[in-house]
RNA sequence: GCCGGGGUGGCGGAAUUGGCAGACGCGCUGGACUCAGGAUCCAGUGGGGCUUAGACCCCGUGUGGGUUCGAAUCCCACCCCCGGCACCA
């Protein structure tokens, strides 16, 4: 029997050991075997919970492994310490944000220590310290000097609760990323970083990054590159109106034009009698929140401004509208509308009675024709049938479906049967109206008008209808053919009619360029990064406004622009602190005012990975020589929630600093791993809000009012009260148990629910592990760990083989992309089970036993460092675990064993044959041995053997008849 | 709607990438220990079948088809789930 496992006693012995011994201190000058491992630094809010633990425990395990593999590992930690929660504490509770932050940082550090998670603390940084934000400001100045930071008036997202503007990236779905409040639009003068200058490169360089595919996809979508053409339309008055389109092949189908309500030409072009209406619409559009504007079910709105534009390809006069579905911030803020081939334009045209002209043949080549009862003479159905047309006859109304190739033949036939004052239509590649005396095509706005006129003249019911499209829309049968946005042969398109769909866009662009009407163009969805925040707790933007000199950057020597120390922080940030605002101009020395906005905290975090290399250098932000050797970061680990924000900004800053000559690489993070969140049930009572899970009893409702609770399993968060604190758990089971369970729960990239039962599984295992090893260590303590594998008993050979397999499986997970430590730990558990079984079966070979115990301790040590260090000490090998090399795997060990070869007969496993390793590994020997085996012969009696497939070392498959 | 990732026991998930499906753990069932246990230990645990209860047979990795001696894994079609984006012209 071994000793009882007492984790608290063991862990208290080792908590400071690794740090004190300096194992986690990187040698920054030695870049030969460097490995830069980085966890995203946290925002130190309140106390960490077991969900935080996942990130750092994973990183700690990887770091310990790398150290044992002999790498010079840099794994630093710091604090993303500026931000709104701290400031809100200050405003509401009068605590200085720095004090609040410092307190939380201490709490995090204590937790890391309890977890056994160690960092190179000499490199600790906090973005809120002047020594750090001085250099954040320095980066701002460099960008400003090089035209990458600018101030502009723009329509911005504003969050009324956070009382500040937000970057595009932080207004998720029209709501504030932090507090979920619907964002308002405001026109303000703000500071921007010109990230769009790098749009193409940010997109292109994704290709080579070893990042999860979904993160790359998200960035690609966010950058949103589209190719097309800019085409110059003109107003009737002669103003050029350039539109961007990805479908220049549909140009001949433009039947109207839409400008964004804020478009500068609106003012000029609006007809006097439309002015009032247009003004009102502009106000309506401005008033809406982003959420309202984006809401999917929203009907199209817009107004005609009383002006017309001329389509440069065919000279057609088309009305100009304004509508909020056209955004000033994308493309040119103006579009040509082709309702036949754009879903939004189609909806708009149908609603406002604007003509639709088809200009692209739908691929597939099917057309439809509806021949209403009473419009044709007797005999048409028979004639159609005879001519081989497919149709349905419902009460005398005919619904014909035909191939485009039969169109002419069909038209001739129908026409010969039409009553004089009637018509029918053929809808497919173009719309044709068949009258008894003529056939009319809807190939232009003019033709559309004529067709409609003629129909209205013939049929009083049609007089209510505004367009041919509306007329056709009323026939359910046609609906699926009236609009499509696929590529197809161009029709009704003047000189380009007949151009096939696969080259239509390209040919049209060539055609436009030859005539100087338009040219190839690329547009991006990405907008410039708005970095101004009207808050106190951030890095001040180092700019001064002087009446004489204008906008003046603070000289580098005057950095940092310090945050003023004030009694109490108010709602209006720096702008309400006169001592800060009023200053002198660095250029002329006259009175001037400081910029009062601080920078978005994502600016702070967009370069911190550079600072870790020389965190205390007070002469420069980073040491370029060393940074160029240590970066890119070899492995960056963090939550997927930063997939676009932080990761895109960091990439941009890196590229900008490279172009300014400070770096010689363009991507900060060579490899990225995103770990999933830990979830836990959260309970909601409509009256008492969030209820902590510990207070919720099975089957009973709210502990306060008994009302039924709404349960959702979501990421742990303090605000939902569904956090599990590590303290209690470590007191009960120890940190090793928490670590082991956290890594064993499931693949780390996936979200997973925390379970106390699961945790106890890890606890049980460590107890068994401890008891087993402490029981046997005294027997092998003074042994050598040497043995002759060939001389082992059969059971011992099996154990030795299993051991080597285990080393292989555990190592593989560290070396793989996925860090599947759930599998690695499972392998260790399996081996422990096998070891226990072996020890219960026979008197062990002590050399073998010492060897496997020794390596088993090392193998589990990245996951459970405390128990490992303690067992290592008792084994008496000397030194510390982290000074040992990682166990190696011996291929030969597996060859000692007999192999069990499954035998498939007609695809089913019918027998297993035990064979020596050599026999099983040789194709001919394997084949013969299996066919000779009694348990196989049994199945072959009276059957004909058709085929034998022998896979050496794997299996044998027989086909019999 | 578009893009990305997935569907394997009651649950989390394994399966060395085309070769014994369900490792390991949780849960569950039975038993032991116990005044008691939600602690611990032992055994069983995909579903079904059985005049031979076994070293047995059949079914089984979302659905339907295909390739192959052999498919969770490859191909085609479909269904469903998760994540992201979404009036971006």
């Amino acid at each position: 029997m071994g000793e009882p496992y007492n984790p608290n006693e063991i862990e208290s012995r080792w908590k400071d050991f690794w740090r004190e011994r300096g194992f986690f201190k990187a040698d920054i000058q030695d870049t030969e075997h460097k490995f830069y491992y980085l966890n995203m630094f946290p925002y130190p809010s309140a106390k960490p919970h077991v969900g935080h633990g996942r990130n750092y425990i994973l990183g700690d395990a990887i770091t310990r492994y790398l150290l044992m593999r002999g790498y010079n590992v840099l794994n630093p930690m710091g604090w993303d310490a500026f931000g709104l929660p701290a400031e809100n504490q200050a405003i509401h509770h009068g605590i200085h944000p720095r004090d609040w932050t410092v307190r939380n940082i201490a709490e995090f550090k204590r937790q890391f220590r309890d977890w056994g998670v160690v960092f190179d603390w000499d490199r600790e940084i906090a973005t809120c310290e002047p020594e750090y934000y001085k250099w954040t400001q320095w980066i701002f100045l460099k960008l400003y000097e090089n035209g990458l930071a600018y101030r502009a008036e723009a329509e911005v997202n504003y969050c009324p609760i956070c009382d500040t503007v937000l970057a595009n990236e932080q207004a998720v779905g029209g709501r504030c990323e932090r507090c979920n409040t619907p964002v308002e639009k405001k026109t303000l003068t703000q500071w921007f970083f010109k990230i769009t200058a790098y749009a193409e490169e940010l997109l292109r360089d994704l290709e080579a990054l070893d990042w999860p595919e979904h993160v790359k996809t998200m960035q690609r979508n966010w950058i949103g590159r589209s190719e097309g053409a800019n085409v110059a339309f003109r107003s009737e008055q002669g103003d050029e109106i350039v539109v961007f389109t990805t479908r220049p092949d549909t140009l001949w189908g433009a039947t109207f034009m839409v400008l964004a309500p804020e478009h500068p030409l609106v003012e000029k072009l609006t007809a006097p009698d439309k002015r009032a209406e247009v003004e009102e619409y502009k106000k309506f559009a401005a008033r809406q929140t982003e959420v309202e504007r984006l809401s999917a079910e929203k009907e199209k709105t817009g107004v005609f401004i009383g002006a017309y534009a001329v389509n440069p390809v065919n000279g057609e006069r088309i009305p100009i509208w304004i509508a909020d579905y056209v955004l000033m911030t994308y493309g040119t803020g103006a579009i040509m509308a082709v309702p036949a081939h754009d879903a939004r334009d189609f909806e708009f045209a149908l609603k406002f009675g604007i003509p639709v002209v088809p200009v692209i043949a739908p691929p597939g080549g099917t057309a439809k024709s509806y021949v209403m009862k009473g419009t044709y003479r007797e005999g048409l159905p028979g004639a159609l049938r005879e001519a081989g047309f497919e149709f349905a006859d419902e009460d005398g109304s005919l619904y014909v479906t035909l191939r485009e190739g039969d169109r002419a033949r069909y038209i001739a036939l129908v026409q010969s049967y039409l009553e004089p004052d009637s018509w029918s239509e053929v809808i497919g590649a173009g719309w044709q109206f068949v009258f008894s005396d003529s056939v009319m095509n809807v190939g232009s706005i003019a033709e559309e008008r004529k067709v409609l006129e003629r129909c209205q003249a013939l049929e009083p019911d049609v007089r209510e209808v505004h367009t041919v499209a509306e007329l056709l829309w009323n026939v359910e049968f046609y609906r699926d053919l009236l609009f499509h946005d696929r590529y197809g042969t161009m029709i009704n398109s003047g000189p380009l009619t007949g151009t096939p769909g696969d080259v239509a866009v390209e040919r049209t662009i060539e055609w436009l360029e030859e005539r100087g009407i338009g040219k190839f163009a690329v547009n991006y969805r990405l907008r410039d990064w708005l970095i101004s925040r009207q808050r106190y707790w951030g890095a001040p933007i180092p700019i001064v406004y002087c009446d004489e000199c204008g906008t003046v950057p603070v000289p580098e020597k005057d950095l940092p622009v310090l945050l003023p120390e004030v009694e109490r922080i108010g709602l209006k940030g720096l702008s309400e602190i006169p001592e800060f605002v009023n200053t002198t101009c660095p250029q002329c020395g006259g009175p001037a005012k400081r910029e009062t906005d601080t920078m978005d905290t994502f600016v702070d975090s967009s370069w911190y990975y550079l600072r870790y290399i020389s965190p205390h250098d007070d002469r420069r932000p980073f040491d370029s020589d060393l940074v160029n050797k240590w970066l890119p970061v070899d492995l960056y680990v963090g939550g997927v929630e930063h997939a676009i924000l932080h990761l895109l900004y960091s990439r941009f800053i890196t590229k900008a600093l490279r172009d300014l000559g400070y770096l010689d690489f363009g991507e900060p993070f060579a490899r990225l791993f995103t770990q999933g969140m830990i979830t836990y049930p959260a309970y909601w009572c409509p009256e008492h809000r969030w209820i902590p899970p510990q207070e919720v009893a099975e089957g009973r409702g709210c502990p306060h009012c008994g009302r039924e609770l709404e349960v959702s399993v979501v990421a742990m968060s303090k605000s939902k009260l569904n956090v599990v604190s590590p303290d209690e758990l470590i007191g009960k089971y120890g940190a090793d148990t928490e670590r082991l369970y956290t890594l064993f729960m499931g693949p780390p990239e996936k979200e997973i629910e925390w379970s106390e039962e699961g945790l106890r599984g890890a606890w049980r295992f460590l107890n068994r592990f401890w008891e087993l090893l402490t029981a046997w260590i005294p027997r092998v303590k003074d042994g050598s760990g040497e043995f002759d594998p060939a001389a082992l008993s059969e059971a011992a050979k099996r154990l030795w083989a299993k051991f080597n397999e285990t080393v292989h499986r555990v190592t593989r997970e560290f070396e793989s992309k996925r860090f599947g430590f759930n599998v690695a730990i499972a392998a260790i558990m399996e081996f422990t089970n096998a070891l226990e079984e072996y020890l219960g079966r026979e008197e062990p070979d002590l050399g073998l036993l010492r060897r496997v115990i020794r390596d088993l301790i090392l193998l589990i040590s990245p996951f459970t460092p405390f128990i490992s260090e303690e067992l290592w000490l008792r084994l008496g090998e000397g030194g510390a675990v982290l000074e040992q090399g990682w166990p190696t795997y011996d291929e030969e060990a597996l060859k000692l064993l007999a192999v069990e070869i499954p035998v498939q007969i007609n695809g089913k496993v019918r027998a297993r044959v035990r064979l020596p390793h050599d026999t099983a590994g040789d194709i001919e020997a394997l084949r013969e041995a299996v066919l000779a085996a009694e348990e196989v012969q049994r199945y072959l009696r009276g059957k004909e053997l058709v085929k034998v497939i022998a896979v050496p070392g794997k299996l044998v498959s027989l086909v019999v008849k």
Side-chain angles (χ1 to χ4, degrees):
Chain A
M1 218 27 228
E3 295 173 31
Y5 174 46
N6 184 347
N8 289 325
E9 191 218 311
I10 295 169
E11 290 176 9
S12 62
R13 249 199 302 285
W14 301 101
K15 253 177 213 186
D16 297 307
F17 175 74
W18 303 296
R19 184 177 49 79
E20 283 167 359
R21 291 283 294 266
F23 293 132
F24 288 77
K25 277 203 206 320
D27 177 355
I28 211 75
Q29 298 303 331
D30 167 23
T31 53
E32 186 97 5
H33 302 286
K34 68 98 183 176
F35 194 103
Y36 190 176
Y37 175 91
L38 189 61
N39 268 125
M40 288 183 187
F41 67 168
Y43 179 78
S45 63
K47 292 174 72 174
H49 50 68
V50 295
H52 289 105
R54 197 178 197 191
N55 198 328
Y56 308 111
I57 290 166
L58 184 76
D60 190 68
I62 294 170
T63 302
R64 286 171 187 272
Y65 167 78
L66 291 170
L67 287 171
M68 291 171 79
R69 290 295 303 265
Y71 284 95
N72 179 22
V73 183
L74 171 62
N75 179 8
M77 184 44 63
W79 316 101
D80 189 13
F82 272 137
L84 219 42
E87 185 161 350
N88 287 337
Q89 287 295 314
I91 293 166
H92 300 300
H93 305 293
I95 308 164
H96 193 282
R98 177 171 293 106
D99 298 340
W100 186 81
T101 304
V102 163
R103 227 161 50 203
N104 289 338
I105 287 173
E107 195 57 44
F108 266 76
K109 290 178 86 165
R110 182 190 64 80
Q111 188 64 65
F112 286 147
R113 180 172 168 269
D114 286 351
W115 271 328
V117 168
V118 192
F119 298 100
D120 186 349
W121 284 115
D122 294 348
R123 302 182 174 278
E124 179 180 3
I125 55 176
T127 58
C128 66
E129 297 304 333
E131 303 86 75
Y132 183 89
Y133 71 71
K134 169 179 179 176
W135 301 113
T136 306
Q137 292 171 338
W138 179 89
I139 287 173
F140 176 94
L141 291 179
K142 291 298 152 195
L143 295 181
Y144 178 74
E145 286 164 19
N146 290 279
L148 288 170
Y150 65 93
R151 192 164 183 249
E153 183 177 272
E155 187 162 272
V156 298
N157 300 305
Y158 174 84
C159 172
I161 298 297
C162 300
D163 197 22
T164 185
V165 300
L166 302 171
N168 228 10
E169 287 78 2
Q170 292 156 17
V172 182
R175 287 174 182 276
C176 172
E177 185 220 12
R178 289 214 80 84
C179 65
N180 212 31
T181 310
V183 163
E184 291 170 11
K185 284 197 287 187
K186 273 196 176 179
T187 301
L188 292 168
T189 301
Q190 301 282 310
W191 283 95
F192 292 86
F193 282 171
K194 207 168 186 173
I195 191 169
T196 54
Y198 287 90
E200 186 63 43
E201 207 189 331
L202 286 166
L203 182 69
R204 198 191 52 212
D205 289 353
L206 281 171
E207 192 75 33
L209 292 178
D210 187 4
W211 284 21
E213 205 44 54
H214 68 280
V215 175
K216 293 206 233 180
T217 304
M218 281 163 73
Q219 292 214 350
R220 280 192 197 106
N221 290 345
W222 190 262
I223 295 166
R225 182 182 199 273
S226 27
E227 285 187 0
N230 279 333
V231 183
F233 282 59
R234 267 180 203 287
S235 73
E236 279 190 314
Q237 294 90 325
D239 310 272
E240 186 172 73
I241 309 172
V242 176
V243 302
F244 173 72
T245 176
T246 54
R247 293 298 304 269
D249 56 325
T250 65
L251 257 164
W252 280 263
T255 56
F256 60 108
M257 169 174 265
V258 187
L259 306 185
E262 316 89 329
H263 195 285
L265 272 176
V266 173
E267 179 70 21
K268 179 169 180 222
L269 293 177
T270 301
D273 62 317
K274 297 284 183 187
R275 190 129 293 184
E277 208 184 333
V278 165
E279 281 311 314
E280 186 161 335
Y281 185 78
K282 284 173 75 169
K283 267 188 228 145
F284 159 80
R287 206 173 43 235
Q288 290 181 94
T289 64
E290 253 334 72
V291 180
E292 283 163 359
R293 208 180 60 75
L294 294 176
S295 96
E297 305 91 77
K298 207 195 112 185
E299 264 208 43
K300 291 270 174 299
T301 58
V303 297
F304 174 48
I305 67 169
Y308 291 84
V310 178
N311 186 338
V313 302
N314 56 11
E316 268 190 305
R317 181 173 180 260
I318 57 176
I320 302 172
W321 289 64
I322 57 172
D324 62 2
Y325 81 91
V326 172
L327 310 171
M328 194 59 225
T329 46
Y330 184 79
T332 60
I335 63 161
M336 65 163 187
V338 184
H341 307 294
D342 180 284
R344 297 151 300 178
D345 299 345
F346 184 73
E347 191 195 331
F348 196 85
L350 212 54
K351 179 169 175 189
F352 292 105
I354 304 170
V356 176
V357 177
V359 292
I360 302 290
T366 303
K368 288 181 177 180
S369 177
Y370 164 64
V371 192
M372 199 169 72
K373 180 185 182 181
T375 62
Y376 60 89
R377 294 202 315 277
E378 218 172 304
L380 179 60
L384 284 172
R385 207 167 290 129
E386 204 161 301
F389 288 105
E390 253 178 61
F391 65 97
D393 182 340
E394 282 174 29
D395 276 341
S397 285
L398 309 180
Y399 295 85
V400 190
T401 305
L402 63 150
R403 288 190 308 274
E404 279 297 344
D406 294 335
R407 181 184 279 252
R409 202 159 60 86
Y410 170 79
I411 288 174
L413 180 64
V414 168
Q415 196 170 33
S416 65
Y417 281 89
L418 273 183
E419 295 284 359
D421 290 337
S422 302
W423 78 84
S424 178
E425 314 87 11
V426 181
I427 304 302
W431 307 346
Q432 284 176 306
F433 277 64
V434 184
F435 300 89
S436 57
D437 59 349
S438 63
V439 177
M440 295 174 81
N441 181 43
V442 182
S444 66
I445 297 172
E447 287 176 352
E448 196 265 0
R449 290 291 97 181
K450 278 192 207 137
V451 167
L452 186 68
E453 245 166 64
R454 174 114 195 237
C455 292
Q456 286 175 332
L458 294 175
E459 177 55 57
D461 285 359
V462 176
R463 290 193 190 136
E464 300 299 307
V465 160
H466 304 89
T467 59
V468 169
E470 195 180 337
L471 172 75
L472 297 172
W473 187 253
N474 290 334
V475 182
E476 193 94 29
F477 183 54
Y478 288 145
R479 284 200 179 171
D480 59 328
L481 286 176
L482 295 181
F483 154 80
H484 78 86
D485 55 12
R486 288 169 294 166
Y487 293 91
T489 306
M490 293 171 73
I491 56 173
N492 299 324
S493 295
L496 292 184
T497 297
T499 309
D502 54 345
V503 294
V505 171
E506 180 189 336
R507 290 269 167 83
T508 309
I509 293 176
E510 283 167 21
W511 189 89
L512 293 168
E513 288 180 342
E514 279 162 24
R515 280 157 189 77
I517 304 168
K519 59 173 195 245
F520 175 80
V522 176
N523 252 291
Y524 300 92
R525 218 188 70 123
L526 184 71
R527 312 285 155 82
D528 276 339
W529 175 14
L530 167 53
I531 58 140
S532 297
R533 296 292 179 276
Q534 290 77 55
R535 310 297 316 184
Y536 170 84
W537 194 232
I541 293 176
I543 289 286
V544 166
Y545 302 106
C546 166
D547 285 342
E548 296 299 316
C549 312
T551 302
V552 181
V554 173
E556 219 175 297
K557 66 174 171 52
D558 294 342
L559 294 184
V561 175
L562 286 171
L563 280 174
E565 291 299 332
V566 285
E567 278 290 292
R568 193 171 174 110
I569 288 153
L571 285 166
K572 295 278 169 249
L574 294 172
S575 62
E576 61 182 22
I577 306 168
E579 312 87 272
F580 178 81
V581 176
N582 298 314
T583 184
T584 51
C585 172
Q587 257 170 46
C588 68
K593 291 197 184 307
R594 279 190 195 283
E595 168 64 58
T596 56
D597 286 349
T598 51
M599 285 187 250
D600 180 5
T601 56
F602 281 104
V603 180
D604 308 327
S605 58
S606 68
W607 73 281
Y608 76 106
Y609 45 89
L610 303 171
R611 185 68 181 167
Y612 280 134
I613 306 299
S614 53
H616 310 299
D617 192 332
D618 57 6
R619 293 163 305 141
R620 53 191 169 178
F622 49 84
D623 178 333
S624 290
D625 287 344
L626 275 175
V627 161
N628 285 336
K629 285 182 187 148
W630 274 90
L631 277 89
V633 172
D634 295 283
L635 177 58
Y636 195 36
V637 178
V640 72
E641 65 275 16
H642 294 112
I644 33 193
L645 295 165
H646 163 62
L647 290 171
L648 193 66
Y649 296 148
S650 298
R651 295 181 62 220
F652 157 64
I653 292 290
T654 300
K655 288 176 192 303
L657 290 172
R658 176 206 55 196
D659 288 348
L660 302 183
Y662 296 101
L663 302 174
D664 66 6
F665 55 93
E667 285 292 340
F669 314 120
R671 183 167 164 209
L672 174 72
F673 183 84
T674 52
Q675 101 280 0
M677 305 250 209
I678 289 187
T679 61
Y680 205 58
Y683 297 88
W684 173 263
C685 168
E687 199 187 322
H688 300 93
R689 306 179 56 81
W690 296 106
I691 309 294
Q694 307 84 279
E695 290 177 24
V696 178
E698 189 75 37
R700 301 232 299 272
C702 172
H704 309 292
C705 63
R707 225 181 294 236
E708 208 181 312
L709 294 169
E710 224 179 275
V711 195
S712 53
V713 179
V714 292
M716 286 188 184
S717 89
K718 196 187 158 204
S719 62
K720 291 182 179 160
L721 306 182
N722 64 333
V723 295
V724 174
S725 157
D727 289 344
E728 205 179 310
L729 210 130
I730 288 176
K732 214 156 137 192
Y733 305 106
D736 276 337
T737 292
E738 187 194 339
R739 290 177 62 116
L740 191 70
Y741 171 61
T742 297
L743 296 169
F744 183 65
M745 297 174 83
E749 78 274 12
K750 282 186 67 177
E751 178 177 295
I752 198 151
E753 186 177 346
W754 182 263
S755 139
E756 174 119 14
E757 283 71 41
L759 181 85
R760 263 204 306 280
W763 165 245
R764 275 195 291 270
F765 171 75
L766 283 183
N767 273 279
R768 274 201 305 129
F769 186 79
W770 172 263
E771 281 170 27
L772 183 69
L773 265 57
T774 51
W776 287 92
I777 280 175
R779 293 279 308 274
V780 297
K781 197 170 183 329
D782 303 314
S784 67
E786 274 161 31
F787 61 98
D788 174 11
L792 293 173
S793 72
E794 194 57 26
K797 278 181 186 169
R798 267 208 304 282
L799 186 78
W800 178 232
K802 178 93 188 160
F803 172 76
N804 281 280
E805 185 197 272
T806 305
V807 176
H808 173 64
R809 286 169 70 185
V810 175
T811 308
R812 197 183 74 199
E813 293 308 328
F814 280 103
E815 295 295 332
S816 78
K817 282 182 106 127
R818 62 175 191 177
F819 302 119
F821 296 149
N822 52 328
V823 186
I825 292 165
I828 291 173
M829 288 171 166
E830 266 181 69
F831 179 73
T832 307
N833 292 344
L835 177 61
E836 203 165 15
E837 199 202 307
Y838 168 70
L839 292 171
R841 176 195 286 257
E842 63 185 33
E843 178 57 27
D845 180 290
L846 291 179
L848 169 71
L849 184 60
R850 181 172 173 98
R851 169 69 194 275
V852 300
I853 285 179
R854 185 198 121 93
D855 282 2
L856 184 59
I857 292 169
L858 299 180
L859 222 43
I860 202 174
S861 70
F863 311 127
T864 55
F866 297 100
I867 197 174
S868 302
E869 211 67 73
E870 181 75 17
L871 288 168
W872 187 259
L873 181 72
R874 289 169 185 234
L875 188 63
E877 288 248 343
V881 166
L882 284 175
E883 289 166 329
Q884 312 307 313
W886 185 251
T888 52
Y889 164 63
D890 181 8
E891 296 267 358
E892 294 301 306
L894 295 178
K895 297 191 181 159
L896 294 167
L897 275 183
V899 189
E900 197 178 66
I901 295 290
V903 182
Q904 287 186 352
I905 293 161
N906 289 342
K908 293 210 159 64
V909 178
R910 295 295 179 179
R912 289 152 220 275
V913 182
R914 288 185 71 83
L915 297 170
H917 187 273
D918 288 346
T919 312
D922 179 79
I923 189 158
E924 279 308 316
L926 172 63
R927 189 188 158 103
E928 270 164 45
V930 163
L931 286 177
E934 169 54 26
E935 56 269 55
V936 176
Q937 280 298 321
R938 203 155 58 110
Y939 288 91
L940 296 182
R941 232 156 271 148
K943 302 268 172 57
E944 187 198 338
L945 185 61
V946 181
K947 199 169 177 184
V948 181
I949 297 115
V951 184
K954 288 276 162 71
L955 57 42
V956 174
S957 184
L958 307 177
V959 187
V960 301
K961 262 206 296 231

